[in-house]
Amino acid sequence: LFVSQFVPLDLSPEDTAAFIKDLTTEAEADGQWKNLASEIEAIAAGRGVQKIEGDQITNAVFFFQHPLLTSCDREVAFTCSRGEWRAEA
C-alpha cells in the first residue's frame, strides 16, 4: 500500500514492481527500507533540512543531510497532482 501511494503517478508497472522488490526481497532490502524511512522521517520533522525549493503548492524539493549516512547530502523532489503529493521520478 505504501508504494502505491508514494511513487510517481506515471511510474510504469515494471518500475513500481522493481521498487517494491528493492524494498522487500532484494539482498539490501532491509537497508533500503531503513534509509527510505529515515529520509521521510527527517523531511517530515525538518531535521537536517537545509532548504526547500519549489512553490510548495505544486512542487517541493528538499535539500538535507541523510540521517543515517555520514557526508551524504540528499535532494528529494515531490510533486502534487490532483491533490496527491508524490515522489518525483
Side-chain angles (χ1 to χ4, degrees):
L1 181 62
F2 165 78
V3 171
S4 67
Q5 294 182 0
F6 180 76
V7 299
L9 293 171
D10 61 350
L11 195 66
S12 73
E14 295 80 16
D15 287 341
T16 300
F19 185 62
I20 291 169
K21 189 175 179 182
D22 284 347
L23 294 176
T24 58
T25 60
E26 287 295 322
E28 298 293 320
D30 190 47
Q32 292 279 50
W33 176 249
K34 285 179 183 174
N35 283 328
L36 177 61
S38 71
E39 288 184 354
I40 293 169
E41 289 172 3
I43 289 170
R47 279 192 316 269
V49 175
Q50 296 146 352
K51 68 178 175 177
I52 304 170
E53 292 182 351
D55 62 20
Q56 297 179 39
I57 296 169
T58 61
N59 62 67
V61 182
F62 294 84
F63 297 83
F64 62 100
Q65 175 69 40
H66 193 286
L68 302 179
L69 305 173
T70 324
S71 302
C72 180
D73 293 328
R74 294 285 291 135
E75 176 182 328
V76 179
F78 295 91
T79 58
C80 186
S81 176
R82 299 187 302 262
E84 291 186 50
W85 283 95
R86 300 292 184 112
E88 192 172 87

